[in-house]
Amino acid sequence: MLTRIDHIGIACFDLDATVEFYRATYGFEVEHSEVNEEQGVREAMLRISGTDDGGASYLQLLEATREDSAVGKWLAKNGEGVHHIAFGTGDVDTDSADIRGKGVRVLYDEPRRGTSGSRITFLHPKDCHGVLTELVTSAPGAHSAGEEA
């Protein structure tokens, strides 16, 4: 069962400048940052709020480290902006199988590693009214939030 909006992924050209904008404008601070070589991104997770289920909501800022990464290609085509929405779930395997059974294309056969060891998969935007949608199961003991597609 999907439990919350885990994060909104925002693609940007300059991660440091974008982090500074959200810090100076809204007071959001970076809770976690990392480079995901497999996905070709450098990212920062900015915590927005906590939720009743113990998770939290975040902004995930994504800067491409390679032009051929999904975010690099997206930035070249679309420029900066909202890249995806992610929903938190206690069981990404079960929920993605259930959603696949309803005719929605799931982009990964098996969930992959996301931010802070989370498990993630994506749903095809053409099956989700134009919105790239991520499903995220947080790693035990870690904050929630996934990665880019």
Side-chain angles (χ1 to χ4, degrees), residues 6-10 22 26 28 44-48 57-61:
D6 186 86
H7 67 274
I8 305 294
I10 299 173
Y22 281 97
Y26 305 115
F28 299 154
M45 300 300 294
L46 285 66
R47 184 183 173 102
I48 307 305
S57 295
Y58 296 86
L59 288 181
Q60 179 186 43
L61 306 179

Side-chain angles (χ1 to χ4, degrees), residues 55-115:
S57 295
Y58 296 86
L59 288 181
Q60 179 186 43
L61 306 179
L62 300 159
E63 175 188 81
T65 59
R66 303 187 317 260
E67 290 181 12
D68 69 339
S69 70
V71 168
K73 292 175 186 176
W74 194 89
L75 280 163
K77 180 179 178 182
N78 301 295
E80 294 183 304
V82 174
H83 180 264
H84 67 274
I85 185 169
F87 295 108
T89 172
D91 187 347
V92 69
D93 297 280
T94 298
D95 285 336
S96 62
D98 180 54
I99 291 168
R100 180 181 276 126
K102 294 174 181 174
V104 174
R105 286 174 280 181
V106 178
L107 298 184
Y108 303 152
D109 290 331
E110 296 292 326
R112 295 184 181 179
R113 182 199 174 279
T115 302

Side-chain angles (χ1 to χ4, degrees), residues 8-23:
I8 305 294
I10 299 173
C12 60
F13 291 116
D14 183 334
L15 183 65
D16 296 328
T18 306
V19 164
E20 183 53 33
F21 168 81
Y22 281 97
R23 179 180 293 128

